[in-house]
Amino acid sequence: MLLISCPNCGSRDETEFHYGGQAHVAYPENPNELTDREWAEYLFYRDNTKGAFAERWLHSTGCRQWFNMLRDTVTYEIQAVYPMGSPRPDAAGKVTADTGTASTAADSTTTGNASPDISGTSTSPTSISSTTAPEGATP
Amino acid sequence: MAETAAPATSAQKNLSLRVSPAAPLGAAFEAGSVQGVVELREVPFLTMVGLRVNRNSGAGERVASVTGGLPAGCGSVSGTGNTSVLWLGPEEFLVVAPTEAHESLGGDLIQALREALGGEAGQVVDLSANRTTFELTGPRARAVLEKGCSLDLHSRVLQAGTALSTEIGNIPAVLWKTGDESFRIFPRASFADFLGRWLLDSMREYASPEVP
């Protein structure tokens, strides 16, 4: 069970939340000009990242608000919780350019060694997840 | 259905036909309550109003003057007299008032809220039939809830006068700690039967003498 820090309510069980898929997938500026393939890619193609992954979550049985979360898909470590609309922070909590499909994870499909290369995914203790509970969030 | 077709405007309506969501469990609640240990009852037909408004806007301030303030953050409850406002979200609140405050009984709460909101962005919706209210009281009330609620319910963390939207027995509900040993639980009407039975089951062990 994950313990997720809702920006409004503080730490709550994972069962109170709903997953909203990959974050930072922007709606195309001119959908009519897209080819079928580009439209299909917008609709259905998502990253399958091994490592830090930016995703959307909804606190459905709490404050019913959406937020973004940077989560390591291997270790489940929550590296950052940040509001909708703000750019993706890197694993250390700093803001990087929003490239939409960016992933700081090493491409595990090209590594020769069996063990996953986690050099690209900082699991340093500088993660800001522990500081995201707002002031006054009692629980 | 007859009432729907021809709504009565006076407070002289026949209210004996109303059935609250957990009414079929009324006798079971009485039988399952353990006097002085943990007691459960339904408080039917409270007036509830769903409120969506930005509390920092002009409309928010007008609405706050009707309800006696709007709560600022998660867990907080505000209000005056017997009208309480529970925080559900940054711009979402639940007003809980006695039955008589409902407009079908001559109350003017909902109309006053509507007028306070005016034409500005927001909502005032009569949700009286949306949820029912359970009142769980007694020294063991916290122990009963802890079987199905993952929040820290200890009084050093959860103070009296705190209301939280969470899960109890795997269903979404609003939990309001009204006193040191009393809780109000607001499940949706369709979950009332389930949660009522769940609470009864959870309370059952306290009817027997404690096993050392």
Side-chain angles (χ1 to χ4, degrees):
Chain A
M1 176 87 74
L2 289 177
L3 203 56
I4 298 175
S5 276
C6 167
N8 291 308
C9 307
S11 275
R12 296 292 181 94
D13 271 2
E14 176 190 356
T15 53
E16 292 195 7
F17 296 84
H18 273 96
Y19 182 66
Q22 182 179 352
H24 310 300
V25 180
Y27 190 77
E29 241 168 75
N30 294 307
N32 290 332
E33 291 170 12
L34 295 187
T35 63
D36 284 354
R37 179 173 185 84
E38 285 167 332
W39 179 243
E41 283 181 3
Y42 160 70
L43 284 183
F44 304 117
Y45 282 42
R46 295 292 181 264
D47 292 345
N48 187 17
T49 305
K50 188 174 187 180
F53 187 50
E55 52 201 14
R56 300 178 299 175
W57 285 82
L58 169 68
H59 191 190
S60 41
T61 56
C63 58
R64 309 208 292 175
Q65 302 296 304
W66 287 92
F67 59 92
N68 286 330
M69 193 159 99
L70 197 62
R71 183 180 63 95
D72 193 302
T73 55
V74 180
T75 64
Y76 288 90
E77 186 203 9
I78 298 167
Q79 299 174 340
V81 175
Y82 55 104
M84 301 300 286
S86 54
R88 169 191 168 129
D90 66 13
K94 282 174 292 187
V95 169
T96 54
D98 183 8
T99 55
T101 56
S103 163
T104 56
D107 187 352
S108 60
T109 58
T110 57
T111 52
N113 53 343
S115 65
D117 178 10
I118 56 162
S119 60
T121 63
S122 164
T123 49
S124 66
T126 47
S127 90
I128 60 166
S129 58
S130 58
T131 63
T132 46
E135 219 180 311
T138 4
Chain B
M1 292 307 286
E3 276 199 326
T4 315
T9 49
S10 76
Q12 306 300 318
K13 284 196 296 186
N14 180 6
L15 298 176
S16 64
L17 295 174
R18 296 196 297 182
V19 179
S20 65
L25 289 175
F29 285 174
E30 235 168 86
S33 292
V34 189
Q35 205 74 29
V37 179
V38 58
E39 290 164 55
L40 176 64
R41 70 186 187 102
E42 187 191 17
V43 186
F45 310 125
L46 289 186
T47 300
M48 298 189 209
V49 189
L51 204 55
R52 297 198 82 139
V53 66
N54 181 348
R55 64 191 295 276
N56 297 320
S57 67
E61 282 165 23
R62 288 198 302 276
V63 168
S65 68
V66 173
T67 60
L70 292 176
C74 180
S76 54
V77 176
S78 61
T80 57
N82 42 25
T83 301
S84 301
V85 192
L86 280 53
W87 189 95
L88 295 186
E91 297 190 0
E92 185 176 10
F93 310 96
L94 181 68
V95 184
V96 181
T99 312
E100 304 78 53
H102 196 266
E103 49 194 351
S104 65
L105 297 174
D108 59 354
L109 173 71
I110 300 173
Q111 191 54 35
L113 287 170
R114 268 193 210 113
E115 279 162 17
L117 182 67
E120 285 188 51
Q123 283 182 346
V124 173
V125 185
D126 178 8
L127 296 180
S128 304
N130 185 28
R131 297 172 185 272
T132 188
T133 309
F134 288 157
E135 205 159 62
L136 188 69
T137 53
R140 290 293 193 178
R142 173 163 70 92
V144 167
L145 287 172
E146 276 171 347
K147 295 179 188 182
C149 181
S150 62
L151 293 174
D152 189 349
L153 302 178
H154 194 280
S155 50
R156 75 176 157 249
V157 175
L158 188 71
Q159 318 274 335
T162 306
L164 296 167
S165 183
T166 183
E167 284 181 356
I168 299 168
N170 294 328
I171 60 133
V174 178
L175 177 68
W176 180 14
K177 187 171 182 183
T178 49
D180 286 338
E181 289 180 347
S182 61
F183 295 89
R184 276 189 171 187
I185 306 160
F186 301 94
R188 294 200 190 273
S190 53
F191 283 122
D193 185 76
F194 170 83
L195 189 65
R197 290 175 196 276
W198 187 92
L199 287 167
L200 281 173
D201 184 42
S202 181
M203 287 158 61
R204 197 161 54 170
E205 65 167 295
Y206 302 109
S208 322
E210 195 169 351
V211 179

